[in-house]
Amino acid sequence: MVHLARRHGHPPAPQPRPPTDLPLPLLPPPSLASLLLAAVASSPSLPHLRHLHGLLVRLHPYLPLPSTPFLLSRLLRRLAALPLPLPPTPTPLRYAVAVFSSLSPPDPFLAAALLRFAHLTQPPLETFRVFSGLRRAHGRDLPFLPFAFSPLAKSAAAARSLPAAAGAHAVSLLLGGFDKHRFVENSLIGAYVACGDVGAARKVLDEMVVKDVISWTSIVAAYSRSRDMGSAEEVFALCPVKDMVAWTAMVTGYAQNAMPVKALEAFEQMAGAGMPIDEVSLTGAISACAQLGAVRRAVWIQEIADRSGLGRNVVVGSGLVDMYAKCGLIDEACRVFEGMQEKNVYTYSSMIVGLASHGRANDAIALFNDMVRRADVEPNHVTFIGVLTACSHAGMVKEGRYYFAQMKDRYGILPSADHYTCMVDLLGRAGLVIEALDLVKSMTVEPHGGVWGALLGACRIHGNTKVAKVAAQHLFKLEPEGIGNYVLLSNTLASAGEWDEVSKVRKLMRIRGLKKDPAVSSFEGRDGLVHQFFAGDNTHPWMHEIKKTLLELRARLKLAGYVPVLSSVVYNVSDEEKERLLMGHSEKLALSFGLLTLESRSSIRIVKNLRICEDCHLFIRLVSKVEPIEIIVRDNMRFHHFRDGECSCGGFW
C-alpha cells in the first residue's frame, strides 16, 4: 500500500503507535523443573527436603523425561550438605538409598549420585559397600556411568587403603573400561598417591591417552612428597602446559626437601613466566629463603609479598617473621611482627622461636606472657617448644621447669618427645646430665632420636663418656644411618683421650659404610651470590687471598691473647697439625672471604651446617674486637651475634 500511494502521488498513511500504557512483554514463566530445582537447592532441613521429595514423586508424570533423575541427584547433593538428623529419624544413607530406589528401572545417573553421597557423608570404605549392594541388587540392569567410579577412588584415597584403590581401579576396568576416562584416571592417580604408591600412580599417568595439567601436577607433587625430586623434575619437564599449581608443586617440593637454592630458582622462573603468585608458592619461597639464610633474597621475597598484597596474609606474615629470624635479621622479624594487623598462634610461635634462637630468652618469655594474658591467644605445642628452647639457650633451668609443668597443668598440652628433647637439652647444657638421663627414663612417651641426641650432645659438652655411651647405644638402634651420632660419640671419647674406644666407633662407621658429613659454611656476597666453603677447602678462586688474610688475622689475634683451643680437633695428631687443621675450618674461611669482599661497617653473616667449635667461636669473637664489624653466625643450634669482642650467647651454647 505504501508503494502504491507513492506511485499515485498520495502521501503514505500514518502508522498507528502502540499505546504507552500497555505493560511490557513478560518473560515466559519458569518451568516446573526449574522451580523444583531452586526449592531443593535452598532446602533448610531434612523434613523440608523429604516433603519436596514427595512432591517430586507426585509430579513425576508432568516433568520432562530426564528431569526426575537430575532433580533426585540434586536432592542427594543437598542432603549431603545438611547436618546429621537426630534419632529416631532414619540415617541419611538409608534415606539416600530410598531416594535411589524410588525410580524404576534403576537410573545410572542417580546411582553415581548415590555413590558420591556415600563418599561425602559416610566413613571412606562405606562407599564400596554401597557399590557392592547396587551390584548385587541390580546386576546388569544397572549400567554404571564413568563418573560413578570417581567416588570409589576418592574413598580409597580418604581411607589411605591401597587394596581399596586397586579395587576401584579393577572395577572401573572390568565394568566397561572406564579407567580410560580422564577424570576417572585422575581420581585413580590421586588414590594411589594418597596411599603412597607413586609407582602405580605413574603407571596410570603413562597409560593415559590424554593427560591434563591435573594429571601431571599430581605426579609431580607425589614425587616431591616421597623425596624423589629427580623424578619430580623429569615429570615436570615433560608437562606440556605448566600452570601455577605445577610450578607451586616444584617450589614447595624443593623447599620441603631441603633444596632451598633450587626452590628459589624455580620461584624466580615461575614469576618470570608470568604465573600468578599465591599464598602457597610464596610460603614455599619464604621457607627456602629461611633455610638458606640469604638476606638479599629475603628482601626480594618481602617486595613480592608487598606487591602482591599477600604480605597482610597471616600465614605469609608468620612465614616472613620466621624467614627474617632465620636470616639473622631478628630486629626486622620484630618489625614485621609488630606491623601485622592479624596475629594467630603461629605468628606468636614463630616470633618466640626466633627470639629464642637469637639468645633473647627474656624477650621470648615476655612475648609468651603477653600472648596469653593480653592478646588472649591460646598457646600450642610449638609455642612451648619455643619457650623451652629460650630457657635452654640461656641456661634458665628454674624457668624451664616452670613452663614445662605449666604446659600440662594449665593448658592441657601433654608433653611430646620434642618437649622432652628441649628439657633434656636444658638440663644437659646446664651440667645436670644425670638428671637429664633420669628424665628420659621417666618419659611418658617413647623417646625418639632427638631426645637421645640432646643427651649425647650434653655429654660432649661436659665430657661424660659413661652416659654418652648409653645415649649412643639407643641412637645406633633408632638411627643406624645417622652419621652425626657416631661422630658425636667419637668426638666425646676423643676429648676424653679414650682413643681405643674412638677406634671402635670409627671401625663401626666403616663397616656400616657411613661417611662423615663435611662441614660447610655459606656466605652471601654483595651480588646476592651464595659462596660455600668446606673444611680444608682449596677450590675457591680467592683461596690464596683468603688464607693470607687468615694468617694475618691469627697473628693479630695472638698479640691480643688468642690461644688456639686444640681440643676442638678430635684427631690424635701433633699440636702443630691441630693448629693447621683449625685454620682450615669452614667458618674461618667464610669469615676471611667476607672481610675481603664486603664494604667496611657491613655485617658478615655466615650459615654453618654443624655446631660451631670452641676454637672458631673464640676466634670470631676476638675478630669482632679488633675489627669494627658485627659477625652473625647461624649454626645448627642457634645464632651467635659477635660484636665488640662479645657474643650474644654469653659463652653458653
Side-chain angles (χ1 to χ4, degrees), residues 554 557-558 560-565 582-583 588 615 618-619 622:
R554 184 177 65 175
L557 296 184
K558 282 192 173 182
Y562 166 63
V563 178
V565 184
L582 287 173
M583 292 304 293
K588 290 191 180 80
D615 182 73
L618 173 63
F619 189 93
L622 292 175

Side-chain angles (χ1 to χ4, degrees), residues 146-373:
F147 52 85
F149 298 97
S150 289
L152 293 177
K154 291 176 180 178
S155 296
R160 300 292 191 269
S161 171
L162 186 57
H169 195 172
V171 295
S172 67
L173 173 65
L174 293 173
L175 297 181
F178 295 131
D179 61 315
K180 297 306 178 189
H181 285 256
R182 190 167 52 185
F183 56 86
V184 177
E185 291 169 316
N186 284 337
S187 297
L188 290 171
I189 288 174
Y192 282 126
V193 167
C195 297
D197 194 339
V198 186
R202 177 66 185 272
K203 188 174 180 182
V204 174
L205 176 75
D206 291 341
E207 293 177 354
M208 289 178 71
V209 177
V210 179
K211 305 175 180 69
D212 59 17
V213 70
I214 297 174
S215 320
W216 294 104
T217 305
S218 298
I219 300 297
V220 169
Y223 278 129
S224 300
R225 284 196 292 270
S226 63
R227 309 185 70 82
D228 185 0
M229 288 307 298
S231 297
E233 290 171 339
E234 173 198 335
V235 175
F236 183 74
L238 293 172
C239 182
V241 178
K242 300 173 177 66
D243 66 355
M244 181 186 72
V245 179
W247 277 105
T248 299
M250 291 302 295
V251 172
T252 55
Y254 284 130
Q256 291 166 0
N257 286 284
M259 301 170 73
V261 175
K262 285 202 167 188
L264 290 173
E265 288 174 353
F267 183 73
E268 194 168 359
Q269 291 169 6
M270 176 182 178
M275 292 292 132
I277 303 300
D278 67 349
E279 173 189 316
V280 180
S281 57
L282 187 58
T283 302
I286 289 171
S287 172
C289 197
Q291 294 174 46
L292 203 58
V295 174
R296 286 167 179 79
R297 295 293 187 96
V299 174
W300 172 62
I301 293 290
Q302 174 80 68
E303 290 173 353
I304 292 176
D306 291 341
R307 281 201 310 268
S308 63
L310 291 169
R312 295 184 293 273
N313 181 287
V314 67
V315 175
V316 172
S318 302
L320 290 171
V321 169
D322 180 65
M323 176 189 73
Y324 277 123
K326 289 179 177 175
C327 288
L329 301 171
I330 189 62
D331 291 333
E332 189 66 18
C334 291
R335 185 192 66 77
V336 173
F337 177 83
E338 293 297 338
M340 291 179 63
Q341 294 182 348
E342 180 187 357
K343 301 183 182 77
N344 60 18
V345 65
Y346 304 105
T347 317
Y348 277 97
S349 298
S350 295
M351 194 68 250
I352 290 169
V353 170
L355 291 167
S357 67
H358 284 266
R360 292 169 57 170
N362 290 327
D363 290 340
I365 291 172
L367 182 60
F368 172 80
N369 291 329
D370 182 72
M371 165 188 169
V372 297
R373 293 172 187 170

